[in-house]
Amino acid sequence: MKKLFSVSLILLSAGVLAACGSSNSSSNSSSGKSSSAIKVRKESKTDEPSFKNNKLTLTDLDIQITQEKVIPVGQKGNEYGKKPVIAFWYKVTNKTGKEIDPSIFISLFEAVQDNDKNKVNKLNVAALPDERFLDSQSQTIKKGGTVENAVAYDLTDETTPIKLTATVPATGKEAGSQTYDIK
């Protein structure tokens, strides 16, 4: 009797497992096309975040750097600084309608001046280098809208190039980097 009960229990367990497996495979087969299409879309090179040719392309936004320049201490755009700065002017385009403002640049980019053999020399954000953007730098950009802004970083020397690296917000992965020579 115990043997019969054990065999019945094993057969019942096997039947339940087989039923679970077949229900999973049937639900996968009915949605197989859409999940595989989604998978292909995610792996598509056109959807990959990138930063090249002065343009950061993400799913939600694009940032196009339009100009960069070094501003010495005391010059327009760096009137109050104690160090020379490298300034970047750029345009942010909101592609999705999410709440995005032009100052997002600071959270997506890191500026490094590799002039210290012992540590990574991340540059500090300096004062806004262009007063035209005082009122617009934190305003929300509408879906499909493009807004200009500028940002500056304190330099630690006036000869070592700056490496600007963009990261993808959701993953923290690098989207790309570019090097800017000091002129």
Side-chain angles (χ1 to χ4, degrees):
M1 184 73 176
K2 280 185 179 181
K3 237 183 196 181
L4 182 61
F5 178 74
S6 295
V7 170
S8 297
L9 187 58
I10 291 172
L11 289 175
L12 180 63
S13 297
V16 168
L17 287 174
C20 288
S22 68
S23 85
N24 270 351
S25 64
S26 69
S27 71
N28 283 345
S29 66
S30 69
S31 66
K33 286 186 178 180
S34 64
S35 70
S36 94
I38 290 170
K39 191 178 228 179
V40 170
R41 180 169 165 73
K42 286 182 180 176
E43 294 172 0
S44 169
K45 293 292 182 193
T46 59
D47 290 341
E48 293 278 326
S50 67
F51 176 50
K52 55 187 171 187
N53 301 320
N54 285 329
K55 185 173 184 179
L56 171 62
T57 302
L58 299 175
T59 304
D60 297 338
L61 60 89
D62 290 335
I63 295 178
Q64 178 69 52
I65 296 173
T66 57
Q67 179 187 359
E68 76 277 341
K69 100 177 183 184
V70 174
I71 306 173
V73 174
Q75 297 295 310
K76 184 172 177 144
N78 191 16
E79 294 92 341
Y80 309 106
K82 295 183 181 185
K83 296 179 178 181
V85 298
I86 184 162
F88 295 94
W89 283 261
Y90 59 91
K91 296 178 181 182
V92 180
T93 301
N94 185 346
K95 300 190 300 191
T96 63
K98 292 183 180 177
E99 280 200 34
I100 295 172
D101 66 63
S103 66
I104 195 165
F105 188 102
I106 296 167
S107 64
L108 298 175
F109 287 93
E110 176 180 86
V112 172
Q113 199 170 22
D114 191 16
N115 56 7
D116 188 321
K117 68 178 185 170
N118 296 309
K119 63 180 176 70
V120 176
N121 184 28
K122 294 180 189 175
L123 300 181
N124 294 321
V125 175
L128 183 67
D130 194 328
E131 63 188 30
R132 293 180 297 155
F133 307 121
L134 279 173
D135 295 330
S136 64
Q137 66 182 336
S138 61
Q139 293 181 342
T140 302
I141 305 168
K142 293 180 180 179
K143 181 178 182 178
T146 300
V147 175
E148 292 182 70
N149 200 25
V151 67
Y153 296 91
D154 288 328
L155 294 173
T156 53
D157 74 45
E158 295 183 59
T159 57
T160 307
I162 309 312
K163 182 177 180 182
L164 195 61
T165 303
T167 56
V168 180
T171 63
K173 289 184 179 180
E174 184 177 312
S177 63
Q178 290 186 216
T179 302
Y180 297 87
D181 292 324
I182 297 178
K183 300 170 188 165

